[in-house]
Amino acid sequence: MTGRPRPAFHVVGSGANALRVLRLQGGIGFAGAEKVVQEAMAISPSEVRVALDLTRVHSIDDVARRVLLEVARRLTLSGHEVCLVDPECVMPDPDPGDGGRVTVADTIDPSAGDGTEKPPARVQ
């Protein structure tokens, strides 16, 4: 990987293996979570796999947590597979609610080149 940072919202891989990554960083409050809502609303139904990447997040307030879990729930209900990348467990016990499902992983494996994540550490 080069020294250039990846954009906050990007796609890893292509075709059926594409993974839409919504990468957050810092302390997440309502405004940060609202940006994720806006980006999630624009995800195409053909982009089946979506990852909320919390690798660079050090805290999430309660309102932002509820908003992000609702994003995961709605994405699931729309037919997307949702992965929460949370190696530091900043969002413990993520329960997206009725009809929602989220797979929790410690990392996304960029070396695979196809956007697949390493085996999940926890499944919710």
Side-chain angles (χ1 to χ4, degrees):
M1 185 168 147
T2 66
R4 285 180 28 204
R6 288 189 174 188
F9 307 121
H10 62 278
V11 176
V12 177
S14 61
N17 291 324
L19 175 68
R20 167 68 63 180
V21 179
L22 308 176
R23 186 178 68 189
L24 292 79
Q25 70 180 37
I28 306 301
F30 177 76
E34 191 61 28
K35 282 184 157 182
V36 175
V37 170
Q38 292 170 5
E39 184 67 22
M41 288 175 33
I43 294 174
S44 166
S46 65
E47 294 179 294
V48 175
R49 301 171 65 228
V50 179
L52 296 175
D53 186 355
L54 305 180
T55 302
R56 296 180 178 184
V57 172
H58 58 79
S59 66
I60 299 175
D61 75 21
D62 189 52
V63 172
R65 175 188 167 87
R66 287 191 303 249
V67 169
L68 294 176
L69 289 172
E70 180 63 15
V71 166
R73 187 182 81 81
R74 289 184 183 210
L75 286 170
T76 302
L77 293 174
S78 295
H80 299 279
E81 297 171 17
V82 180
C83 177
L84 182 68
V85 183
D86 188 10
E88 301 298 322
C89 203
V90 294
M91 189 183 292
D93 302 317
D95 180 3
D98 292 341
R101 178 172 166 81
V102 63
T103 300
V104 182
D106 288 334
T107 187
I108 296 171
D109 186 0
S111 64
D114 63 0
T116 59
E117 62 268 357
K118 289 184 179 179
R122 313 171 291 282
V123 177
Q124 298 296 323

